[in-house]
Amino acid sequence: MGKVTGFLEFERHDRKYAPVAERLKNFQEFVIPLTEKETRDQAARCMNCGIPYCHGTGAVTPGTPGCPVNNQIPDFNDLVYQNNWQEASRNLHSTNNFPEFTGRICPAPCEASCTLNIDDNPVTIKTIECAIVDRAWENGWIKPEPPAEKTGKKVAVVGSGPAGLACAQQLARAGHDVHVFEKFAKAGGLLRYGIPDFKMEKGVIDRRVAQMEAEGVTFHYGSYIGNGGTDPRKLIEDYDAVALTGGAEAPRDLLIPGRDLDGIHFAMDFLPQQNRRVGNEPLGDVRDILAGGKHVVVIGGGDTGSDCIGTSFRQGAASVTQLEIMPAPPERENKGLTWPNWPLKMRTSSSQAEGAKREYAVLTQKFSGADGKVAKLHCVQVDDKFKPIAGTEFELDAQLVLLAMGFVHPVHEGLLKSLGVELDPRGNVRANTHDFQTSLAKVFSAGDMRRGQSLVVWAIREGRLCARSIDNFLMGSTSLPR
């Protein structure tokens, strides 16, 4: 490494956030980047350790350490320290099609597995990654990469989330004629309609779509495959290969008394509305779901719940309470037991830090209200087996309840049932990790539709690997990276 003693000389210093009172005034990103010198100093902290778990084994087995797309983290850290930003960008893009997505919204398992995390001071890998790609865009280093020649093969990609985008870009660069079918008005999937703009502004997606169009990818918006739209079997007839890269969009419900009261909504009915408002997209004939002036309760303690919190505060909620059925995690992990794996420990998101009240080990038993509208949640504390503890019952006032308890599997009606594709026991599309082939000839699947609800970085990895398998299927060999 360029700075052998960097980890001894420089303390960890990461990006800061704009003050809460300031950032709640709008839906813009509020992360304050490091200066160039600060970023290079942070890159100098990389130790060139003997076993770099940061980009090691996580891509092989879920739950094991490392970056799922195998980013060559020590290499790009060194390049940043050496002030060779353009080569750092080339290196970063060799493994990750969209580092500006992961540099904003990935939870950074790479940092958890960093050797310096043994004493809670990992290299600021996510921040450095974001700085590299943002600098590359600013300097015009990121350009379309159209293929030198076309193969004459046509591929349909259904779904334009991160898995579909990665798959489509890789296939287009291999010379195939790629058509992406998206049911909504714009590309991005949950990146556009689930992730709030304050975490990632949508111009970040738009410039990638423009790059892909210049590389030969054709986007078909408002194109439902199944559900009364295009017969999915026609795609099999018209294309040489089909990639199913939709999301896991069937939400987990809470079927308790009072669920039918007005004011109780799924998170993915609430979040896309605000994203469409910010993006000046029409909402259609749906009713507004707004948090302004209301006591809001978010049920579910994950990232989606956190996004509901931040959005509610920006809409002017009177209060926001987040409920989690799991017990509160420990403040710190036991490094000897967990490192370099992803640890279970207390984490506070930027949205939770904006004033949300968090309650753990809570079960909602019923909703109640008046005039058909929700007014209260009736809750109880639970033990470690999720059984109610007698005498711990309590009530919460709420005029808006947002269910953010995750997703169970992709929607089966329409596309999947029309195709007759085989599903796994969890209700996801069955496709192995060797070639991403489904039970149907020339039909492949990747991303959340195949593996279930997961991270953007896993979606990008799966899209890339699926593209490699499709290219090999079509051509008999492939030069796309593993």
Side-chain angles (χ1 to χ4, degrees):
M1 302 301 290
K3 189 70 169 175
V4 177
T5 58
F7 71 98
L8 296 172
E9 297 178 32
F10 302 110
E11 294 296 324
R12 175 181 166 92
H13 176 56
D14 209 351
R15 296 175 288 186
K16 303 296 184 184
Y17 297 146
V20 172
E22 179 182 325
R23 69 192 196 226
L24 289 184
K25 295 177 181 177
N26 56 61
F27 282 85
Q28 298 169 356
E29 292 181 15
F30 54 83
V31 177
I32 303 170
L34 299 182
T35 65
E36 179 181 340
K37 181 183 183 305
E38 288 171 331
T39 305
R40 292 179 63 196
D41 287 347
Q42 292 305 302
R45 298 183 67 242
C46 187
M47 302 174 65
N48 194 22
C49 46
I51 301 177
Y53 287 109
C54 58
H55 73 99
T57 61
V60 179
T61 306
T64 52
C67 173
V69 292
N70 289 125
N71 280 340
Q72 301 167 70
I73 293 164
D75 293 341
F76 71 61
N77 280 333
D78 186 38
L79 289 164
V80 167
Y81 171 72
Q82 301 291 351
N83 205 31
N84 194 345
W85 291 84
Q86 189 166 3
E87 181 63 15
S89 173
R90 187 205 63 77
N91 180 289
L92 182 55
H93 281 90
S94 71
T95 56
N96 186 351
N97 296 67
F98 315 116
E100 65 271 45
F101 300 169
T102 51
R104 285 169 167 81
I105 61 175
C106 181
C110 52
E111 294 189 22
S113 61
C114 176
T115 299
L116 287 175
N117 191 41
I118 292 174
D119 63 355
D120 290 318
N121 287 294
V123 175
T124 57
I125 300 168
K126 178 178 173 180
T127 291
I128 295 167
E129 176 180 350
C130 198
I132 293 169
V133 66
D134 285 353
R135 191 182 183 97
W137 279 109
E138 291 166 6
N139 285 277
W141 299 333
I142 299 175
K143 295 181 171 65
E145 300 177 27
E149 57 185 46
K150 290 284 194 177
T151 64
K153 302 292 186 179
K154 290 178 63 179
V155 182
V157 177
V158 182
S160 68
L165 292 177
C167 182
Q169 185 167 59
Q170 293 294 95
L171 288 168
R173 290 175 175 178
H176 305 302
D177 182 15
V178 181
H179 292 254
V180 177
F181 295 87
E182 170 54 54
K183 63 183 177 182
F184 293 129
K186 295 180 181 179
L190 285 182
L191 292 174
R192 184 177 297 276
Y193 295 106
I195 302 295
D197 283 67
F198 57 78
K199 287 175 67 175
M200 188 176 76
E201 295 178 17
K202 302 312 177 253
V204 172
I205 304 171
D206 295 336
R207 64 190 179 189
R208 278 297 180 186
V209 171
Q211 179 196 34
M212 292 174 63
E213 289 175 333
E215 292 170 348
V217 178
T218 303
F219 288 86
H220 303 271
Y221 298 118
S223 296
Y224 277 83
I225 308 300
N227 296 312
T230 302
D231 187 337
R233 290 168 294 189
K234 183 168 175 54
L235 292 185
I236 298 178
E237 296 173 5
D238 295 346
Y239 290 84
D240 298 296
V242 176
L244 306 178
T245 58
E249 295 181 300
R252 182 172 285 107
D253 207 344
L254 186 59
L255 301 177
I256 58 175
R259 172 63 179 88
D260 58 343
L261 290 170
D262 190 21
I264 304 171
H265 303 275
F266 288 118
M268 288 309 298
D269 291 330
F270 173 67
L271 294 172
Q273 279 197 7
Q274 185 57 47
N275 285 9
R276 288 190 171 95
R277 291 186 192 99
V278 175
N280 296 313
E281 283 189 50
L283 297 184
D285 57 359
V286 299
R287 280 195 308 155
D288 281 329
I289 306 172
L290 295 167
K294 298 175 182 176
H295 295 292
V296 179
V297 175
V298 178
I299 302 179
D303 289 339
T304 303
S306 183
D307 293 343
C308 289
I309 292 171
T311 300
S312 296
F313 278 131
R314 282 160 180 76
Q315 290 183 355
S319 70
V320 182
T321 302
Q322 185 177 31
L323 305 182
E324 168 62 70
I325 195 169
M326 298 292 290
E331 290 291 333
R332 291 171 56 87
E333 72 271 34
N334 184 328
K335 298 290 186 182
L337 293 177
T338 62
W339 183 87
N341 295 312
W342 181 256
L344 175 66
K345 67 175 182 178
M346 182 67 74
R347 292 178 171 86
T348 299
S349 72
S350 60
S351 292
Q352 290 166 335
E354 289 166 356
K357 182 180 180 182
R358 301 158 74 183
E359 299 281 358
Y360 291 91
V362 170
L363 173 69
T364 304
Q365 295 181 305
K366 70 174 182 178
F367 304 108
S368 66
D371 301 322
K373 298 180 180 179
V374 69
K376 288 184 181 296
L377 282 75
H378 301 264
C379 307
V380 64
Q381 295 287 146
V382 295
D383 61 20
D384 57 3
K385 296 183 179 179
F386 310 121
K387 300 297 184 183
I389 300 173
T392 63
E393 296 83 1
F394 65 97
E395 297 179 356
L396 288 174
D397 292 332
Q399 293 82 49
L400 177 62
V401 179
L402 300 171
L403 305 180
M405 302 175 294
F407 304 87
V408 292
H409 50 62
V411 174
H412 295 161
E413 298 299 325
L415 169 63
L416 300 184
K417 281 195 173 180
S418 297
L419 273 179
V421 66
E422 186 178 334
L423 305 176
D424 68 17
R426 296 170 57 208
N428 302 316
V429 174
R430 183 184 293 279
N432 61 59
T433 54
H434 171 64
D435 60 9
F436 292 83
Q437 178 84 47
T438 70
S439 59
L440 301 178
K442 73 178 185 179
V443 178
F444 300 76
S445 186
D448 287 5
M449 185 169 273
R450 188 199 75 84
R451 65 179 289 118
Q453 178 188 1
S454 190
L455 305 176
V456 62
V457 68
W458 272 103
I460 293 171
R461 171 182 170 81
E462 294 234 335
R464 288 170 62 88
L465 290 180
C466 183
R468 175 182 168 85
S469 294
I470 291 173
D471 187 41
N472 187 64
F473 168 77
L474 296 175
M475 307 304 294
S477 64
T478 180
S479 60
L480 291 177
R482 292 181 61 249

